[in-house]
Amino acid sequence: MSFLEEIQRRRTFGIISHPDAGKTTLTEKLLLFGGAIQEAGAVKNNKIKKGATSDFMEIERQRGISVATSVLAFIYKNKKINILDTPGHKDFAEDTFRTLTAVDSVIVVIDVAKGVEEQTEKLVEVCRMRKIPMIVFINKLDREGKDAFDLLDEVEQKLGLRVTPLSFPIGMGYDFKGIYNIYGKKLNVFSADNKQTVSEGVEFNDISVPELDEIIGGTAAETLREELELVEEVYPAFDNDEYLAGDLQPVFFGSALNNFGVKELLDCFIEIAPSPQPKKSEERLVDSKEEKLSGFVFKIHANMDPNHRNRLAFIKIVSGTFKRNAPYLHVRLNKKMKFSSPNAFFAEKKEIVDESFPGDIVGIQDTGNFKIGDTLTEGENLNFKGIPSFSPEHFRYVNNADPLKSKQLYKGLDQLMDEGVAQLFTLDLNGRRVIGTVGALQYEVIQYRLEHEYGAKCSYENLPVHKACWVEPEDPKNEEFKEFKRVKQRFLAKDKQGQLVFLADSAFTIQMTQSKYPSVKLHFTSEFN
């Protein structure tokens, strides 16, 4: 296959939603259609002994939530599909925002009973800002929930999207009869017994024929005809260009757990979704069809294999071909590097690949050379923008609970912070370490992983800090800045990159400081330079 054909058969997308709307379950079912796994395991189901393939950290299996973004790939109808399954939990939002820099399109999952929830709104807003094409999947139709039209209205109002349904449910919950696929003009009749395998649909080009009544019953058929007529009048017809520009969002209905409506979603997705797109760098727009390699690190994961203490850097390829053992330039360190065993992913299974194309995600063994946001090229100086580091909202001191293990503790903290799980600050005054996170659940994850992956125990102590502000003085030598450092020395710290950070205890303190020392600027993200 030629280079251009390889690009055109790639589809890279992320799945986002509020916790528990069914992202990981949907991911599993997509893999089932791709023939990648034989039987799917839901996150919360005890009957099937298999946990979900994409949740591989011990803590994820215990709680039934996804904590880290996982990368999965499969081939379906000769298209190579890369899925990034993200955590929905708001404490891990940073991981999800970073993942969105690496995808070309997004599937938003919404729970039929709960409708649009807060976390969905935040994530969709990020996608809207970046004009990422979105498909909406309304999940859990086998349970009682909101009326289909009410839901579509809610999606339009709360998420600010323009929607058009490409499939429509017949009844719901107890009376759930099936789904009429508007895009493919097919009727799928629902039966709850084939949860882990695949079911076929019946074709209906014309829904006025009497056979419809025989299959789903007279009243249901009447309702379906009325509703579809309404859909045609109210909603715009599907237009592929508008969808690709991020101005129109198709909606599908289904039940991921019962494997219903998922195939329709996938069939339509591979036809309409974008192949790898050009990406903006600070220097210029990089087109995916360029011959020369460029790519960036959007995630680092330590200890995927507890026996080997390895770290993997996940690289999204933007242009060119990534070849094994070829020398590439690491832009930030300005040195050439070769990679002898780049991995392609399949949840827990990794395979070594000889070449990868734009849109693919490659995992590289990392010994501490990479940070999130680093760029690899064939020699050109490029930097991809848009992987932010936010100001944390929770702060705690870390204390070493086992003095004999202090080396392990510091090594563990270092590696976990490189992963971007949280941010580490060291106080100037006494060198105590402070961990700042976006959400409280991360402290448990850090404590758990330190103990199980590094054998180090730690305890926490609360610290009354409102926000961390990165400090930028106009002139480091002037009196005002020296005065600022003298007065505030108890609240000053360094982050991992050695930048000066001011830990402010309230919004009021920040205002006071800014008015008292006007030449000292305070920033809420670390990317101000």
Side-chain angles (χ1 to χ4, degrees):
M1 256 191 235
S2 73
F3 177 58
L4 288 179
E5 280 170 345
E6 286 286 2
I7 298 182
Q8 261 132 25
R9 63 188 278 258
R10 297 285 189 281
R11 300 279 182 275
T12 306
F13 71 100
I15 300 187
I16 58 174
S17 81
H18 198 78
D20 271 2
K23 290 183 293 299
T24 302
T25 312
L26 177 65
T27 308
E28 291 280 291
K29 296 301 161 148
L30 292 172
L31 290 177
L32 182 69
F33 283 107
I37 43 180
Q38 263 52 58
E39 107 183 288
V43 183
K44 285 203 171 67
N45 193 336
N46 297 333
K47 291 192 207 94
I48 319 164
K49 278 289 174 273
K50 264 186 80 196
T53 337
S54 50
D55 284 354
F56 55 79
M57 269 157 64
E58 191 55 38
I59 190 161
E60 299 181 299
R61 299 190 193 261
Q62 286 171 5
R63 305 221 168 171
I65 57 171
S66 303
V67 174
T69 306
S70 64
V71 182
L72 305 123
F74 62 91
I75 288 178
Y76 178 77
K77 298 197 171 167
N78 201 23
K79 296 271 188 286
K80 165 120 194 275
I81 299 177
N82 298 309
I83 308 181
L84 298 163
D85 178 22
T86 62
H89 212 286
K90 74 167 184 299
D91 292 0
F92 304 103
E94 232 180 311
D95 199 26
T96 308
F97 287 137
R98 287 197 203 112
T99 304
L100 289 177
T101 58
V103 298
D104 298 308
S105 65
V106 164
I107 293 182
V108 185
V109 185
I110 292 175
D111 181 330
V112 68
K114 295 180 188 153
V116 175
E117 295 170 278
E118 133 203 56
Q119 205 47 36
T120 321
E121 292 181 43
K122 284 188 189 161
L123 292 165
V124 167
E125 198 179 336
V126 175
C127 297
R128 279 222 324 274
M129 271 172 15
R130 302 200 173 136
K131 291 249 181 262
I132 303 176
M134 288 179 262
I135 295 182
V136 179
F137 182 70
I138 294 180
N139 192 12
K140 307 197 179 181
L141 278 190
D142 51 324
R143 306 191 185 171
E144 297 296 326
K146 303 185 180 183
D147 172 71
F149 286 110
D150 293 349
L151 264 171
L152 291 169
D153 285 349
E154 191 175 321
V155 169
E156 291 205 304
Q157 281 155 14
K158 281 196 183 168
L159 301 179
L161 303 180
R162 254 180 87 220
V163 297
T164 175
L166 290 189
S167 73
F168 210 79
I170 307 166
M172 120 173 10
Y174 185 69
D175 317 315
F176 184 49
K177 297 274 193 305
I179 290 174
Y180 183 72
N181 177 0
I182 302 174
Y183 186 74
K185 297 209 161 131
K186 265 192 188 143
L187 176 80
N188 282 36
V189 185
F190 176 69
S191 67
D193 33 317
N194 51 0
K195 277 192 182 180
Q196 293 167 4
T197 47
V198 183
S199 60
E200 286 302 305
V202 196
E203 288 213 23
F204 271 96
N205 287 330
D206 178 14
I207 50 170
S208 53
V209 291
E211 283 97 274
L212 187 67
D213 301 60
E214 289 165 28
I215 297 180
I216 58 174
T219 41
E222 266 319 292
T223 325
L224 179 65
R225 290 185 187 122
E226 282 166 23
E227 287 181 335
L228 286 179
E229 209 169 294
L230 231 165
V231 166
E232 268 173 41
E233 284 168 24
V234 177
Y235 294 103
F238 176 69
D239 176 314
N240 210 10
D241 299 334
E242 283 189 47
Y243 155 72
L244 291 176
D247 297 329
L248 182 69
Q249 284 77 25
V251 180
F252 284 88
F253 290 84
S255 157
L257 182 65
N258 294 308
N259 215 351
F260 201 74
V262 179
K263 186 170 184 301
E264 290 66 43
L265 173 72
L266 189 57
D267 284 345
C268 173
F269 173 82
I270 61 172
E271 275 183 46
I272 67 173
S275 55
Q277 296 296 301
K279 190 166 172 60
K280 242 189 154 97
S281 68
E282 284 175 32
E283 291 73 18
R284 59 188 186 86
L285 189 71
V286 179
D287 191 5
S288 54
K289 298 180 185 60
E290 293 177 21
E291 300 285 313
K292 292 242 159 103
L293 174 101
S294 66
F296 64 96
V297 178
F298 66 94
K299 173 188 163 61
I300 291 174
H301 194 107
N303 308 325
M304 281 180 90
D305 176 351
N307 306 326
H308 294 298
R309 294 271 164 274
N310 55 353
R311 273 174 46 160
L312 275 179
F314 289 66
I315 293 184
K316 158 84 194 274
I317 298 174
V318 181
S319 65
T321 323
F322 186 98
K323 295 193 176 68
R324 189 173 154 187
N325 284 328
Y328 293 119
L329 176 72
H330 182 319
V331 176
R332 183 175 55 88
L333 298 179
N334 195 12
K335 67 175 190 185
K336 288 267 169 130
M337 303 173 89
K338 285 185 175 180
F339 305 101
S340 57
S341 53
N343 290 307
F345 292 95
F346 181 76
E348 283 177 326
K349 302 180 202 48
K350 300 181 306 216
E351 303 156 1
I352 290 181
V353 282
D354 286 323
E355 52 178 15
S356 308
F357 296 93
D360 283 344
I361 310 286
V362 183
I364 286 176
Q365 298 287 338
D366 174 28
T367 49
N369 291 316
F370 286 107
K371 286 187 182 150
I372 286 173
D374 279 350
T375 313
L376 278 182
T377 65
E378 286 192 21
E380 189 183 352
N381 203 348
L382 283 178
N383 288 289
F384 290 104
K385 260 295 259 248
I387 301 193
S389 177
F390 303 97
S391 166
E393 289 173 20
H394 301 259
F395 295 86
R396 292 183 192 175
Y397 283 121
V398 190
N399 295 327
N400 186 358
D402 180 355
L404 296 173
K405 293 278 166 91
S406 57
K407 195 175 156 201
Q408 283 89 330
L409 177 75
Y410 295 137
K411 183 183 165 198
L413 281 175
D414 256 14
Q415 292 200 353
L416 291 179
M417 300 305 137
D418 277 349
E419 242 185 76
V421 180
Q423 293 173 49
L424 187 67
F425 303 106
T426 313
L427 289 182
D428 282 3
L429 194 64
N430 53 12
R432 287 191 76 179
R433 285 175 162 76
V434 174
I435 291 185
T437 67
V438 183
L441 195 62
Q442 273 156 316
Y443 288 111
E444 284 186 41
V445 174
I446 292 170
Q447 200 167 15
Y448 182 90
R449 290 186 59 184
L450 279 173
E451 193 173 328
H452 288 80
E453 296 173 10
Y454 299 92
K457 289 189 173 62
C458 70
S459 60
Y460 296 118
E461 214 179 301
N462 275 339
L463 179 68
V465 171
H466 163 68
K467 272 261 194 295
C469 315
W470 279 267
V471 181
E472 182 190 15
E474 267 175 32
D475 172 16
K477 294 193 181 67
N478 71 6
E479 286 306 308
E480 195 175 293
F481 181 54
K482 284 179 186 159
E483 177 68 5
F484 165 80
K485 286 211 297 204
R486 193 180 62 78
V487 175
K488 300 289 183 195
Q489 66 174 16
R490 292 183 33 230
F491 308 106
L492 292 179
K494 298 269 197 299
D495 70 0
K496 253 198 106 166
Q497 277 72 47
Q499 300 189 106
L500 187 65
V501 177
F502 170 51
L503 303 175
D505 54 7
S506 67
F508 176 66
T509 312
I510 296 177
Q511 277 175 335
M512 283 295 291
T513 310
Q514 278 173 329
S515 59
K516 200 171 162 193
Y517 308 104
S519 78
V520 180
K521 290 205 183 81
L522 301 176
H523 301 275
F524 292 124
T525 58
S526 59
E527 266 201 4
F528 58 82
N529 40 9

